[in-house]
């Protein structure tokens, strides 16, 4: 037992030391914060009905973060900083029709940044997708399949067939897991009132939650794991299962959006009680599912260059 406690303390110390929980101006921390902020704006621009003038304070914060990044001496020639600047530009373009003093002052503040946007082509903002084109890409080549998957936040009002969901879950069951222990579980929320209640506990579905037809909750049962060395295994196995499920839903031609369950104890308890989720299961994430509309806008969500993420040893 004391070994497990020692190892949790080890995890805790490393998390405190390296995560963004303690703010400082390290490049990677600033870049992650900038990415998270610009993603919110990009996502806002992709909403079924984006609200003119939305997110002003977030834009202000984003600009300040980029300025802090530059003042700290870091290069803006990275995928994420360039994308964040393009998103600012797209935000101001979108709000051009209103003469809002606050937005105009933000645009002024961002002028020098926007001038420093040096990339060709679209790395930030949204892209319009046609349902037929997307469906054509889900049935063949894996590379085309993977590149055509987006988080979908816009759904038609046609309800999702339960058998198709069950079939998707079966496909996801082919996911590898430690010693084939298969700890993953899925809760399917189909009752409309329950869908609404479930989404009310989650903080990332504003502006599109009302269009989600069904919610899946992926969990991983701790009964499958043993000892201190497996204390984090449920998140690996459950995370991999979740990705397979997202791909399976894409294969079925459905729209899906992973919805974070990064919450504290109180919220976690509330959701467990509302849905009867077992205490032994760690909740990985929710997945909002619906049928695709004929065309939809999605955030570009620019990926880093491969050089930014690999180390060859
Ligand atoms: C674990 C997890 C939690 C997420 N939570 C949310 C969320 O709460 N709301 C949301 O709109 N998107 C959420 N997303 C979707 C991400 O924003 C999205 O995957 C990312 O921007 C990349 O875009 P793409 O999925 O379109 O490729 C989540 C994704 C993951 C993997």
């Amino acid at each position: 037992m004391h070994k497990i406690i020692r190892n949790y303390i080890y995890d805790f110390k490393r998390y405190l030391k390296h995560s963004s929980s303690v703010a400082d101006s390290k490049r990677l921390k600033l870049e992650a914060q900038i990415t998270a902020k610009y993603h919110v704006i990009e996502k806002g621009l992709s909403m079924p009905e984006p609200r003119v003038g939305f997110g002003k304070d977030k834009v202000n914060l984003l600009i300040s973060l980029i300025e802090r990044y530059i003042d700290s001496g870091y290069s803006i020639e990275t995928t994420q900083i360039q994308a964040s600047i393009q998103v600012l530009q797209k935000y101001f373009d979108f709000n051009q029709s209103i003469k809002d003093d606050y937005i105009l002052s933000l645009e002024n503040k961002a002028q020098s940044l926007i001038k420093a946007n040096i990339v060709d082509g679209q790395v930030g903002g949204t892209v319009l997708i046609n349902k037929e084109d997307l469906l054509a890409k889900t049935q063949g080549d894996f590379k085309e399949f993977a590149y055509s998957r987006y988080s979908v936040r816009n759904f038609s009002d046609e309800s999702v067939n339960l058998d198709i969901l069950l079939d998707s879950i079966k496909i996801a069951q082919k996911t590898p897991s430690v010693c084939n222990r298969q700890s993953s579980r899925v809760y399917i929320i189909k009752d409309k009132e329950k869908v609404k209640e479930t989404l009310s506990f989650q903080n990332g579905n504003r502006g599109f939650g009302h269009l989600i037809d069904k919610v899946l909750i992926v969990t991983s049962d701790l009964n499958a794991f043993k000892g201190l060395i497996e204390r984090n295994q449920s998140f690996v196995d459950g995370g991999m299962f979740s990705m397979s499920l997202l791909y399976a839903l894409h294969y079925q031609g459905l729209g899906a959006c992973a919805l974070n369950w990064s919450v504290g104890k109180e919220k976690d308890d509330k959701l467990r009680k509302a849905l009867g989720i077992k205490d032994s299961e760690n909740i990985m994430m929710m997945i909002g599912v619906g049928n695709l509309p004929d065309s939809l806008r999605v955030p570009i969500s620019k990926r880093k260059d491969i050089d930014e993420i690999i180390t060859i040893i």
Side-chain angles (χ1 to χ4, degrees):
M1 177 60 101
H2 73 280
K3 262 190 174 175
I4 294 186
I5 296 172
R6 260 195 18 233
N7 280 269
Y8 268 109
I9 292 173
Y10 166 80
D11 288 347
F12 168 72
K13 281 188 177 161
R14 291 190 59 253
Y15 191 70
L16 211 61
K17 185 171 170 197
H18 297 295
S19 76
S20 293
S21 311
V22 180
D24 61 36
S25 289
K26 261 196 171 161
R27 196 186 76 75
L28 285 178
K29 287 189 186 181
L30 278 178
E31 188 188 70
Q33 287 174 57
I34 288 167
T35 303
K37 285 281 170 307
Y38 92 67
H39 171 68
V40 173
I41 309 301
E42 202 172 45
K43 184 170 136 179
L45 291 169
S46 79
M47 283 294 110
E49 288 169 26
R51 191 169 44 83
V52 180
F54 78 91
K56 300 173 204 177
D57 289 336
K58 296 208 170 83
V59 167
N60 190 17
L61 224 77
L62 174 59
I63 297 169
S64 302
L65 273 169
I66 303 173
E67 286 175 346
R68 198 168 129 205
Y69 179 96
I70 293 170
D71 291 346
S72 304
Y74 304 130
S75 164
I76 60 164
E77 289 181 40
T78 76
T79 51
Q80 297 310 297
I81 306 305
Q82 289 299 308
S84 69
I85 295 172
Q86 267 199 17
V87 168
L88 283 176
Q89 176 68 67
K90 298 280 162 57
Y91 176 84
F92 296 127
D93 290 349
F94 173 74
N95 286 302
Q96 225 173 29
S97 60
I98 52 163
K99 299 273 171 274
D100 182 296
D101 287 346
Y102 187 16
I103 295 184
L104 286 173
S105 73
L106 291 173
E107 195 167 358
N108 269 336
K109 189 175 165 187
Q111 263 325 304
S112 60
L113 294 178
I114 288 169
K115 283 202 191 102
N117 181 16
I118 44 156
V119 285
D120 288 332
Q122 279 236 56
V123 294
T126 64
V127 56
L128 190 66
I129 291 179
N130 174 280
K131 179 178 174 178
E132 291 307 314
D133 293 345
L134 187 142
L135 291 182
K137 289 175 179 160
T138 62
Q139 301 299 311
D141 177 66
F142 180 72
K143 193 169 171 181
E144 196 173 64
F145 171 84
Y147 278 117
S148 63
R149 185 210 56 80
Y150 285 93
S151 290
V152 171
R153 301 181 181 88
N154 191 346
F155 305 100
S156 75
D157 50 18
E158 186 192 345
S159 85
V160 173
N161 183 307
L162 196 59
D163 288 337
I164 296 182
L165 282 186
L166 297 179
D167 199 41
S168 309
I169 294 166
K170 268 192 194 157
I171 297 171
Q173 282 188 286
K174 188 66 180 76
T175 306
S177 62
V178 270
C179 319
N180 201 22
R181 280 184 241 164
Q182 304 177 56
S183 67
S184 299
R185 306 285 179 267
V186 184
Y187 293 76
I188 304 171
I189 327 295
K190 70 180 184 106
D191 176 86
K192 281 283 164 220
E193 279 310 305
K194 278 286 177 200
V195 166
K196 210 168 154 190
E197 185 187 1
T198 301
L199 292 174
S200 75
F201 296 124
Q202 203 273 339
N203 65 5
N205 65 87
R206 219 168 73 186
F208 67 98
H210 61 291
L211 300 175
I212 292 174
D213 181 55
K214 293 189 174 58
V215 175
L216 306 178
I217 299 184
V218 180
T219 69
S220 171
D221 197 322
L222 288 170
N223 282 299
F225 306 108
K226 195 177 164 202
L228 70 95
I229 56 171
E230 289 187 350
R231 66 195 178 282
N232 295 319
Q233 195 63 47
S234 70
F235 295 103
V236 177
D237 284 17
M240 287 181 60
F241 182 94
S242 304
M243 185 64 238
S244 294
L245 186 50
L246 287 171
Y247 272 149
L249 295 166
H250 181 49
Y251 170 75
Q252 306 281 12
L254 292 168
C257 185
L259 299 169
N260 79 82
W261 194 242
S262 311
V263 297
K265 178 183 177 318
E266 286 74 20
K267 252 198 188 168
D268 200 56
D269 274 349
K270 270 191 190 159
L271 183 70
R272 285 174 189 285
K273 288 212 174 82
L275 300 176
I277 295 175
K278 287 190 194 145
D279 193 47
S280 62
E281 295 172 15
N282 276 337
I283 300 173
M284 303 294 114
M285 66 182 74
M286 298 183 182
I287 300 178
V289 189
N291 274 295
L292 293 167
D294 289 337
S295 75
L296 66 150
R297 211 163 258 293
V298 293
I300 290 176
S301 296
K302 172 75 181 152
R303 298 311 200 258
K304 296 181 179 186
D305 283 338
I306 187 166
D307 295 342
E308 295 179 72
I309 70 154
I310 59 162
T311 306
I312 296 175
I313 295 166

